[in-house]
Amino acid sequence: MLRLININRRLGDFALTDINLEISDGEYYVLLGRSGSGKTQLLELIAGLEHPDNGTIILDNLDITRQRIQDRKVGIVFQDYAVFPHMTVFGNIAYPLRVRKADKKFIAEKVGKVAATMNIKHLLERSTDKLSGGELQRVALARTLITSPRLLLLDEPLSSLDTSLKDDLKRLLRNLNKAGQTIIHVTHDYGDAISLAKRVGVIHNGKIIQEGTVDEVFKNPSNRFVARYAGIRNFFRVNISGEDGLLTAVTEQNVRFKLNGAKSAGESLLLVKSDSIILTNEIPDDKELNAIKGKITEIIPSESGMELTIDAGDLFYVKIHSSDMKKLRLIDRQEVWMSFPRDAVVILNGTF
């Protein structure tokens, strides 16, 4: 449906570089990145607000690289909503059709239908300055959807909403996608990607550094930056060596890891997934496991229970359910064993 081929665009000191991307019909694609990473600039290129210095944008097998924004079958919803304050909700939603000089009866029917989909039909005669943030976002969405875009672009649509409004809008966006709407959604929020995306891309310094399904990207991050987004905190610079067919990684503090395999010997960056680490008071019997002894130095509440900092020479961060914490009777300064299988250890391609 959408293909970006070797897209480059310089904007002052910043540049989008070698962007290649394919979005299938009916997909929900989340582009994840920090502020200044280039995600909004990429949306503007797709929408036609800007044009690339070079490269090609294909939509439904048509080259739209230099096509005017009004001629593209693309709708964009901005982070600040950009509703017209001097118009009613009805006037805002109807505006794109009025500009096209559509028939009044047709406009009324379309506005009613899309307002019902957005659950704002009861607000049609209201002024937009009386609306909440969630209601304004729905008006902006309705105004964009009334033109039946082939592709819907969303720029941080949830960033200014509180938790309950976020949940409502996420449900609405999922339903839109289930009904066949193709969506590209840019955000800095990892939680948005997890709860909405069919596929996800991570953009950093103007480049898409990894993409795939949510599981492919966040369970197997290709570098430290992506792993950080996935909430992984256990990173170790290691030296990898092999002897008698066994591969071992060793940190500067002499913490040793058993590996299933590694791409190359020598210095590397290693991560261990926090939710793969099991805590016990005694050393585990299974000799195939990685087993490392350390001392608890900090205990702080987390969403699912507690997060423990454990000093084993290097610091480990371990998440544990409150029930397991109570069962093991873990307290500050207590010694504890950490164990995890070899496949919980990942050797990263990059170090950034």
Side-chain angles (χ1 to χ4, degrees):
M1 182 212 187
L2 176 75
R3 281 191 298 142
L4 306 184
I5 305 167
N6 299 326
I7 294 292
N8 293 277
R9 171 66 168 156
R10 178 160 290 281
L11 300 153
D13 294 333
F14 177 80
L16 288 167
T17 309
D18 295 330
I19 301 291
N20 289 278
L21 184 61
E22 290 195 16
I23 308 294
S24 301
D25 201 16
E27 193 161 60
Y28 200 125
Y29 187 92
V30 173
L31 187 63
L32 190 65
R34 293 175 179 167
S35 296
S37 61
K39 55 190 188 296
T40 296
Q41 291 87 342
L42 187 55
L43 276 197
E44 291 175 348
L45 290 177
I46 296 168
L49 294 166
E50 297 279 347
H51 297 298
D53 297 330
N54 48 63
T56 307
I57 303 173
I58 305 290
L59 180 64
D60 291 336
N61 297 317
L62 178 67
D63 186 342
I64 62 168
T65 312
R66 303 291 165 185
Q67 197 176 64
R68 298 184 308 165
I69 183 172
Q70 56 266 41
D71 295 330
R72 301 187 184 201
K73 297 176 183 178
V74 175
I76 185 167
V77 178
F78 296 101
Q79 184 177 355
D80 61 359
Y81 317 131
V83 299
F84 302 122
H86 61 287
M87 293 183 184
T88 63
V89 170
F90 183 98
N92 267 275
I93 299 172
Y95 181 78
L97 297 183
R98 284 175 171 166
V99 168
R100 291 167 170 78
K101 302 188 185 305
D103 176 76
K104 286 185 178 181
K105 184 179 178 183
F106 175 75
I107 290 174
E109 289 175 354
K110 286 280 284 185
V111 170
K113 185 175 180 180
V114 74
T117 301
M118 294 292 110
N119 297 320
I120 53 172
K121 199 168 184 179
H122 60 292
L123 302 176
L124 287 176
E125 300 309 316
R126 253 192 231 183
S127 171
T128 55
D129 62 0
K130 306 294 184 186
L131 303 183
S132 69
E135 290 167 342
L136 286 169
Q137 189 64 279
R138 288 167 184 260
V139 172
L141 270 167
R143 185 181 58 194
T144 301
L145 291 170
I146 203 166
T147 61
S148 301
R150 290 283 291 119
L151 180 62
L152 177 62
L153 309 177
L154 304 176
D155 185 8
E156 298 274 9
L158 306 170
S159 61
S160 60
L161 304 180
D162 63 31
T163 302
S164 62
L165 291 175
K166 269 189 178 185
D167 290 342
D168 287 344
L169 194 57
K170 283 182 181 180
R171 193 175 303 111
L172 188 151
L173 292 173
R174 278 192 290 267
N175 288 338
L176 273 177
N177 181 242
K178 285 177 183 176
Q181 180 66 60
T182 308
I183 299 173
I184 301 179
H185 173 153
V186 305
T187 183
H188 65 275
D189 192 322
Y190 166 76
D192 292 351
I194 291 295
S195 60
L196 290 168
K198 291 181 179 175
R199 285 177 60 238
V200 63
V202 180
I203 188 167
H204 181 62
N205 289 339
K207 294 184 177 181
I208 296 176
I209 58 174
Q210 190 174 357
E211 67 167 342
T213 66
V214 172
D215 279 355
E216 286 168 350
V217 171
F218 294 126
K219 289 188 177 179
N220 296 286
S222 63
N223 55 63
R224 184 176 189 145
F225 184 85
V226 177
R228 283 286 189 196
Y229 251 125
I232 297 171
R233 299 177 63 194
N234 295 312
F235 294 96
F236 307 96
R237 199 168 296 281
V238 295
N239 199 291
I240 297 173
S241 61
E243 188 174 343
D244 298 328
L246 300 175
L247 283 166
T248 303
V250 183
T251 73
E252 290 181 357
Q253 305 304 320
N254 206 35
V255 176
R256 305 177 73 83
F257 300 88
K258 301 172 185 175
L259 306 179
N260 272 339
K263 289 173 182 167
S264 61
E267 290 187 0
S268 297
L269 192 67
L270 175 151
L271 70 81
V272 181
K273 301 168 187 177
S274 300
D275 56 5
S276 298
I277 300 175
I278 303 298
L279 298 182
T280 54
N281 289 319
E282 305 291 336
I283 187 170
D285 294 330
D286 189 345
K287 302 301 182 185
E288 291 299 310
L289 292 175
N290 282 283
I292 299 168
K293 191 176 185 180
K295 182 180 288 186
I296 298 170
T297 60
E298 188 176 29
I299 301 171
I300 59 173
S302 70
E303 288 182 8
S304 59
M306 296 290 177
E307 182 179 83
L308 277 56
T309 304
I310 298 175
D311 187 349
D314 292 284
L315 294 180
F316 286 75
Y317 302 92
V318 182
K319 293 178 181 177
I320 183 170
H321 289 286
S322 298
S323 59
D324 292 329
M325 182 94 178
K326 194 176 292 185
K327 182 180 177 182
L328 292 169
R329 298 179 181 178
L330 299 179
I331 59 172
D332 194 25
R333 312 307 301 173
Q334 179 179 338
E335 289 191 335
V336 65
W337 283 92
M338 299 176 285
S339 62
F340 45 91
R342 298 184 189 197
D343 60 10
V345 179
V346 178
I347 306 299
L348 299 183
N349 292 328
T351 58
F352 63 88

